[in-house]
């Protein structure tokens, strides 16, 4: 049986490099997307490739990582640097992706693109986690998943379509085969109470959690 091959994709969003993030990327191979190389040292990672147009990369960062092989692309292109890095990881055999620095940052459009891209990648059969250190997200497609989140963590389910038959267990406000309209706020701001399981009969969504934020408990 082929074992999972994990790649950490270093993106340009915000990152709090805590122990939870370091555990996620432990043993992973890494590819940096443009300014995402700034996260490499804090996580103890040495990317095997650096891709992008390098329009958001500081000169000192380029100098510090001059030994990392680069794939340079023009600024006017049809793909984001993050998407290029992801596709390169898949070409190298990735079955699991940790998108580091996937939230916040200077570009809301890029953050939204990362969230939507994660869902489409999950539909292609890849296992994904998105993280900023303060927030984590995993795609939720028809089927079920169990999440390792501390009790008291705030969590939400963000739908990218109408959701049919959504069930949530191990949370303060459980659901049992609920139908949720696209854009409805019913699945925002729940609280993890124990081992959490989410299942879905139809639709596409993300489970978004704040593992260190217990203010809702």
């Amino acid at each position: 049986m082929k074992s999972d091959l994990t790649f950490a994709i270093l993106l340009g969003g915000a990152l709090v490099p805590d122990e939870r993030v370091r555990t996620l990327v432990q043993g992973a191979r890494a590819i940096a997307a443009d300014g995402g190389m700034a996260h490499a040292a804090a996580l103890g990672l040495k990317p095997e490739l650096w891709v992008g147009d390098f329009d958001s990369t500081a000169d000192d960062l380029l100098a510090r990582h001059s030994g990392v092989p680069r794939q340079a692309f023009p600024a006017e292109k049809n793909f984001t640097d993050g998407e290029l890095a992801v596709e390169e990881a898949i070409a190298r055999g990735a079955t699991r992706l940790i998108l580091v620095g996937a939230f916040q940052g200077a570009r809301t459009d890029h953050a939204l693109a990362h969230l939507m891209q994660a869902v489409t990648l999950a539909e292609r059969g890849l296992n994904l986690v998105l993280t900023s250190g303060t927030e984590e997200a995993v795609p939720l497609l028809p089927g079920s998943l169990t999440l390792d989140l501390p009790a008291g963590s705030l969590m939400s389910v963000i739908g990218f379509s109408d959701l049919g038959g959504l069930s949530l267990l191990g949370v303060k406000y459980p659901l049992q085969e609920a139908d949720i309209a696209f854009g409805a706020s019913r699945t925002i701001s729940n609280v993890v109470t124990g081992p959490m399981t989410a299942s879905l009969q139809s639709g596409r969504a993300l489970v978004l959690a704040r593992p260190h934020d217990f203010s809702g408990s």
Side-chain angles (χ1 to χ4, degrees):
M1 179 181 295
K2 183 180 178 180
S3 60
D4 286 345
L5 179 56
T6 300
F7 270 79
I9 307 298
L10 307 185
L11 303 170
L15 177 66
V16 177
D18 66 351
E19 194 59 33
R20 188 174 176 89
V21 178
R22 293 188 181 93
T23 298
L24 275 175
V25 303
Q26 187 174 10
R29 293 164 63 178
I31 295 177
D34 207 333
M37 180 62 87
H39 303 318
L43 297 175
L45 295 174
K46 183 176 181 181
E48 61 191 61
L49 184 67
W50 195 359
V51 305
D53 52 35
F54 301 102
D55 64 346
S56 61
T57 306
D59 290 342
D60 63 331
L61 192 63
L62 290 167
R64 288 201 306 273
H65 298 280
S66 60
V68 177
R70 300 179 195 173
Q71 283 186 1
F73 294 86
E76 296 182 357
K77 56 187 184 300
N78 294 327
F79 307 96
T80 65
D81 297 330
E83 188 172 1
L84 292 169
V86 163
E87 291 300 327
E88 184 61 37
I90 294 171
R92 297 180 181 216
T95 58
R96 184 169 184 259
L97 298 172
I98 312 298
L99 304 187
V100 178
F103 305 105
Q104 302 168 1
R107 296 285 301 270
T108 299
D109 53 349
H110 281 229
L112 287 172
H114 296 151
L115 298 176
M116 293 185 288
Q117 182 189 20
V119 174
T120 60
L121 289 168
E123 291 177 326
R124 290 168 58 181
L126 285 107
N127 184 321
L128 286 100
V129 179
L130 302 88
T131 183
S132 67
T134 56
E135 293 182 298
E136 287 180 19
V138 296
L140 176 61
L141 299 177
S144 64
L145 57 86
T146 299
L147 299 179
D148 178 20
L149 291 166
S153 301
L154 294 178
M155 61 77 58
S156 300
V157 176
I158 309 298
F160 288 89
S161 67
D162 292 339
L163 303 180
L166 174 64
S167 297
L168 298 175
L169 299 175
V171 294
K172 185 176 181 179
Y173 308 109
L175 291 176
Q176 184 63 40
E177 297 186 358
D179 294 331
I180 308 295
F182 176 60
S185 62
R186 184 180 176 187
T187 56
I188 303 297
S189 295
N190 212 325
V191 182
V192 176
T193 59
M196 180 197 155
T197 300
S199 61
L200 188 63
Q201 294 178 1
S202 65
R204 41 174 29 186
L206 279 169
V207 178
L208 180 63
R210 298 180 65 87
H212 305 297
D213 190 343
F214 304 143
S215 62
S217 58

